[in-house]
Amino acid sequence: MRRSPGTAHGPTDALDGVAVALVDARGRISWWSRAAGELLGWNADEVVGTAARDLLGPHAPSQARFAGSPRARLARLRHRSGRLVEAEVRILAAQDGGETLLLAVPPSPSPSWDDVPEIATTLIQQDLVGVALLDLDLRLVRTNPAFRSLRPADGPEDWVLSLHRTGTGESARDAIAAVAERGVPVVAAEFRGPVPGSEPALSLTCLRVLDRRGEPVGVAVAAGEITDRFQAQSRRTAAYRGAVGIGGSLDAVNSAQDLVQALVPALGDLAAVDLRDDVLEGRDPPAKYIGPEDELLRRVAVKSADRRWPAPLVQVGESLPPIPDRPEFQRTAVGQEVIVSDPELVRLFLGNDPVLVAKMMPEGMRSSLGCPIYHRGRVLGYALVWRTTTPVPFDERDAQVLKDLCVRSAQAVNNALRYTREHRTAVALQQSLLPASTTDSTAAETSGIYLPIGGGASVGGDWFDTFALSSLRVALVVGDVIGHGLQATTTMARLRTAVQTLADLDLSPDELLTRLDDLVRRMEAEAELPDTVGASCLFAVYDPVSGICQVASAGHPPPAVVLPDGTVTYLDIEPGPPLGVVDSPFEVYTCTLPPGSVLALYTDGLLGRDVDAGMTRLREDLTELCRPGDPLHEIGTAVIGRHPEAEGPEDDVTLLLARIRSVPAADTAVWEYPAEPTAVHDARQDVTAQLIGWGLEEQLFATELVVSELVTNALRYAGGPIVLRLIRDRVLVCEVSDPKDAHPRLRRARSTDEGGRGLFLVAQLTSRWGCRFSPRGKTIWTEQELAPRSA
């Protein structure tokens, strides 16, 4: 250090023990006391005239302001030996002007709780708020009685350090340590024990405590018990968490059950949900307030915290009794909740009727909360919650929780209501479209069974059909439309109608499926989602006269045949693509079946996911269950009952059984005529003789006239050979076949026309007539009603 010349002058050594120095306006030391020399080891001759800043070492660790002069600092000064000396430095203005007085004393002893401000002492002495003082090592120094009363039974002295912050999981130990180190306070933070209920829930405020010199000595912790508020918030949080499952089902009752599950025990001890009968039946409830006296409500869901629903209360499935109307109940018409914390007030609301009180008010009720399940101006039902063991009454926050949950439930119930309405419409539509489950005709006895997906929870597009064709033949149809619901049902309706219309044209099975495929393609072009339109279909025609069965398939599994001897086989058909997929021809499979055989047509829902295993199972079931003479409906019910998912299949299940019959040879007569004028005369004679032999003299006149007209037309327009066939059954069938494929036309002749009345006469004399085509030409057929034959 540079030595300044000159002699010391200035204040006397009156400030004994205090290091004093004067600094002139240039920042140079002009006077140096003996105590300053003792403190730093420099004598006056060595420091006078030198810059005061040369005595300053690095900044002291703490720059906090001390009590006293606002310019007091704790600084590190350079000792003559080179070490640093900590001292309290105060800067005061000198009286003789122009110079500054520096005062320095060694620092006080280490920070002590005996030197803290009076406010800390005041906090620890009061008994309204729990306060604890911890040192920098987080050891308890002092606590007041209010804080000690918060200590759990058998808890350690420093139990507060074992708490954890709500939400973040931060330990109280870490939070208080951070306050001691950085000085950033923690204000009204919620803490609880590591195990819920093991310690009381507390609100902690943590502040760093400084001594009078500004040095940290520890942390003051103010604690207040918020167990009730915390538990209430926990209950509400649990209720919201439980509400996640509401609306996961398209069933109003299931949604109501989800609601009570969320409410108990989270919000109360008992909960019930009542829905209007209109909602349960799939009808929209009225949009006006009608009062509890006229509301038709049914209890659909309940839950008790102890798992025992009180017997006196309204039980699940029971209708609610009429309740007197009151102004308080009118709040529910606009979706508002009702809180009642006085049991006597509940009795008053119920008209002090002991029977009504027993049914609507649980014994020991402390508080009740009700809220409507309200959606777009309509009250769908009500949710009720009671507290019987919890002394804390419901408050507005609880009411808001229930209201939020009821809003969510209302959306779910409304969705269920819309689904129920659509489902019932689809079921009604589908049931109206499906034929009678059993039919009985000359060609076959049939029985069909349809099991919708989910055991009735949904409706799909599967269908079966059976109807009569010309010449005693019967058509058997099974189809499966893509998807489920109302759209699938309407698609099925269009396809079923189209099949019947096309079949009435006496088209062959392959030609019918080709035209049906064209229809599906048009439907795809019209649909917003073309990929959702499509179907598979199997169409079979059985002729009881010849015993021939013709089958064509559009992407459908093959039918099974149970022969009279019990053998079960699958027809070896070549299925074409599903309808609407690709433009490809369909193949016709032709076979001859003996009378008494049973045809089993089905959809893939009967087979399950593993088609091969399903076909094997079906073969085994038919072998065991299909016995000659057993009613087909019982056989079909037994087969369906063995389905692995009979109670709730994942897909629609359809089964159509047909036990085929044959027409005896004695009831059929066939003649063939060359294309000669005598063919008409010969045909009339043959028909007359056959009808007399069958005892059908009453049909002679009409049948002779019909045969004359049809054979004459064949001679005139088609040529030969001409084939005439009569079939006697419940009707008299007359067929005339020729090699011409031109379709005859019925027209009304004018009075001046010489011809054109033949087919008109045929239509008047018969109950039905028509034309069908074959590779050999066409066949004109007619039917006449016959009186039932005696046994």
Side-chain angles (χ1 to χ4, degrees):
M1 181 175 288
R2 183 176 62 88
R3 176 180 301 196
S4 298
T7 58
H9 65 279
T12 66
D13 293 336
L15 297 175
D16 190 24
V18 178
V20 180
L22 281 178
V23 179
D24 60 19
R26 296 178 300 167
R28 297 184 179 274
I29 297 174
S30 60
W31 187 83
W32 188 258
S33 72
R34 183 183 305 108
E38 294 175 355
L39 179 64
L40 298 179
W42 304 95
N43 58 41
D45 293 337
E46 293 175 318
V47 298
V48 171
T50 62
R53 65 173 177 271
D54 292 339
L55 293 175
L56 296 177
H59 292 293
S62 173
Q63 296 298 323
R65 295 182 180 275
F66 287 16
S69 170
R71 303 180 65 185
R73 297 289 188 274
L74 181 64
R76 293 183 177 183
L77 305 177
R78 298 184 184 276
H79 193 272
R80 193 173 187 275
S81 64
R83 63 184 177 88
L84 297 177
V85 176
E86 284 193 354
E88 288 185 12
V89 179
R90 288 179 172 82
I91 303 174
L92 301 174
Q95 295 180 355
D96 50 359
E99 293 183 314
T100 302
L101 179 65
L102 301 181
L103 303 177
V105 295
S108 301
S110 300
S112 170
W113 285 102
D114 296 329
D115 197 29
V116 297
E118 293 182 359
I119 186 171
T121 305
T122 303
L123 284 175
I124 205 69
Q125 290 177 349
Q126 57 83 37
D127 198 25
L128 297 177
V129 178
V131 176
L133 300 179
L134 294 86
D135 62 18
L136 295 178
D137 294 325
L138 305 188
R139 292 188 297 263
L140 280 175
V141 177
R142 299 177 190 174
T143 59
N144 68 351
F147 187 87
R148 291 192 291 273
S149 68
L150 299 176
R151 177 182 173 185
D154 302 327
E157 290 290 338
D158 59 352
W159 59 271
V160 70
L161 300 178
S162 65
L163 300 180
H164 286 75
R165 192 165 187 169
T166 303
T168 65
E170 179 188 20
S171 70
R173 179 182 296 274
D174 292 341
I176 297 174
V179 173
E181 179 181 353
R182 295 190 291 271
V184 179
V186 173
V187 180
E190 292 187 357
F191 286 80
R192 60 182 177 86
V195 178
S198 59
E199 279 93 5
L202 300 178
S203 173
L204 299 185
T205 297
C206 308
L207 302 170
R208 187 165 69 175
V209 179
L210 307 177
D211 64 10
R212 298 182 186 279
R213 297 177 298 108
E215 286 297 317
V217 296
V219 178
V221 178
E225 186 171 8
I226 56 169
T227 301
D228 290 341
R229 180 162 62 91
F230 181 82
Q231 291 178 349
Q233 181 61 35
S234 297
R235 287 194 297 267
R236 288 189 284 268
T237 301
Y240 279 123
R241 188 178 298 115
V244 174
I246 297 177
S249 169
L250 288 176
D251 184 271
V253 175
N254 287 344
S255 297
Q257 293 172 345
D258 293 339
L259 177 57
V260 297
Q261 292 293 331
L263 294 175
V264 177
L267 206 61
D269 303 308
L270 298 167
V273 174
D274 309 318
L275 295 180
R276 282 180 163 175
D277 285 347
D278 290 337
V279 174
L280 297 174
E281 295 171 3
R283 301 191 303 269
D284 282 325
K288 60 180 181 179
Y289 177 74
I290 60 177
E293 292 179 326
D294 299 324
E295 282 186 312
L296 298 178
L297 294 167
R298 189 172 302 276
R299 184 145 293 173
V300 296
V302 298
K303 187 179 181 183
S304 172
D306 61 5
R307 300 184 180 180
R308 294 191 301 270
W309 184 253
L313 296 179
V314 178
Q315 303 296 309
V316 172
E318 294 182 356
S319 297
L320 267 65
I323 299 175
D325 195 6
R326 291 189 58 87
E328 292 84 355
F329 295 155
Q330 296 179 10
R331 290 167 48 88
T332 63
V334 291
Q336 297 300 310
E337 65 284 347
V338 177
I339 304 176
V340 182
S341 299
D342 185 358
E344 293 302 322
L345 189 57
V346 176
R347 292 186 176 91
L348 178 63
F349 285 174
L350 298 176
N352 289 312
D353 183 343
V355 176
L356 197 56
V357 169
K359 284 185 170 293
M360 299 300 297
M361 176 179 168
E363 185 177 355
M365 189 206 83
R366 296 171 181 258
S367 181
S368 67
L369 177 61
C371 183
I373 300 175
Y374 182 85
H375 187 268
R376 294 185 178 180
R378 288 180 168 85
V379 176
L380 308 178
Y382 297 91
L384 302 171
V385 190
W386 297 275
R387 287 179 178 171
T388 56
T389 60
T390 305
V392 180
F394 290 111
D395 56 23
E396 293 298 330
R397 288 175 294 183
D398 296 324
Q400 185 61 47
V401 172
L402 180 59
K403 186 175 181 180
D404 291 343
L405 267 59
C406 285
V407 168
R408 185 182 182 96
S409 299
Q411 183 65 49
V413 172
N414 183 69
N415 291 340
L417 172 62
R418 293 171 56 193
Y419 170 77
T420 300
R421 191 163 52 236
E422 178 180 319
H423 176 259
R424 292 187 176 181
T425 301
V427 169
L429 176 61
Q430 188 174 49
Q431 294 299 327
S432 67
L433 294 173
L434 291 176
S437 58
T438 59
T439 63
D440 194 357
S441 66
T442 300
E445 167 199 1
T446 67
S447 177
I449 298 177
Y450 169 71
L451 182 62
I453 183 173
S458 183
V459 174
D462 285 17
W463 89 94
F464 67 88
D465 204 356
T466 176
F467 47 88
L469 298 176
S470 62
S471 304
L472 306 182
R473 297 174 304 150
V474 65
L476 306 173
V477 190
V478 170
D480 185 358
V481 173
I482 293 176
H484 301 90
L486 190 58
Q487 179 179 351
T489 302
T490 53
T491 301
M492 178 270 285
R494 295 179 65 178
L495 294 182
R496 178 175 181 265
T497 302
V499 169
Q500 290 187 346
T501 302
L502 295 172
D504 197 50
L505 299 176
D506 273 320
L507 300 176
S508 62
D510 58 331
E511 180 65 20
L512 183 143
L513 291 182
T514 299
R515 299 197 182 187
L516 195 63
D517 182 68
D518 294 338
L519 172 62
V520 173
R521 290 177 181 277
R522 289 197 298 272
M523 294 170 63
E524 288 179 345
E526 298 169 357
E528 294 182 1
L529 300 174
D531 292 342
T532 63
V533 179
S536 65
C537 182
L538 186 139
F539 184 77
V541 176
Y542 173 69
D543 186 346
V545 177
S546 63
I548 293 176
C549 181
Q550 292 184 311
V551 184
S553 170
H556 209 82
V561 179
V562 184
L563 299 175
D565 62 1
T567 304
V568 179
T569 61
Y570 288 98
L571 297 184
D572 189 20
I573 65 175
E574 185 68 29
L579 300 175
V581 176
V582 295
D583 188 6
S584 177
F586 299 97
E587 300 292 334
V588 176
Y589 175 83
T590 303
C591 63
T592 301
L593 299 177
S597 299
V598 175
L599 273 171
L601 286 68
Y602 52 90
T603 57
D604 56 3
L606 183 62
L607 303 179
R609 295 183 178 179
D610 190 337
V611 175
D612 293 337
M615 294 181 68
T616 301
R617 184 184 66 250
L618 178 59
R619 183 200 303 268
E620 295 172 351
D621 292 343
L622 290 175
T623 301
E624 179 181 350
L625 300 173
C626 190
R627 293 180 293 269
D630 287 355
L632 291 180
H633 183 71
E634 294 181 4
I635 297 173
T637 302
V639 171
I640 294 292
R642 292 193 175 187
H643 190 280
E645 302 167 350
E647 296 299 325
E650 296 182 356
D651 195 5
D652 298 328
V653 176
T654 302
L655 176 62
L656 176 62
L657 298 178
R659 182 177 282 132
I660 61 175
R661 299 165 175 164
S662 64
V663 175
D667 290 334
T668 304
V670 182
W671 302 273
E672 183 174 320
Y673 307 102
E676 297 178 358
T678 58
V680 177
H681 176 267
D682 294 340
R684 291 170 63 94
Q685 285 188 330
D686 291 336
V687 167
T688 299
Q690 187 64 54
L691 292 182
I692 293 174
W694 282 343
L696 300 178
E697 289 83 356
E698 292 183 2
Q699 278 71 36
L700 273 175
F701 175 76
T703 306
E704 287 182 353
L705 186 55
V706 168
V707 169
S708 297
E709 290 296 335
L710 295 181
V711 173
T712 299
N713 286 343
L715 283 173
R716 177 177 299 178
Y717 301 109
I722 301 170
V723 179
L724 171 63
R725 184 169 74 164
L726 294 180
I727 307 172
R728 179 184 64 167
D729 192 71
R730 301 172 186 177
V731 295
L732 177 62
V733 178
C734 177
E735 298 178 349
V736 175
S737 302
D738 60 53
K740 191 77 171 184
D741 58 1
H743 198 292
R745 296 178 57 193
L746 175 66
R747 66 184 183 89
R748 185 178 296 275
R750 294 189 296 269
S751 58
T752 56
D753 290 343
E754 297 183 356
R757 298 177 177 84
L759 287 181
F760 178 77
L761 292 175
V762 169
Q764 297 300 311
L765 294 173
T766 60
S767 57
R768 287 204 314 156
W769 77 279
C771 175
R772 66 174 181 268
F773 297 90
S774 69
R776 296 184 300 272
K778 69 174 182 295
T779 298
I780 308 296
W781 56 269
T782 66
E783 291 182 1
Q784 300 176 61
E785 297 290 340
L786 295 179
R789 286 187 285 179
S790 58

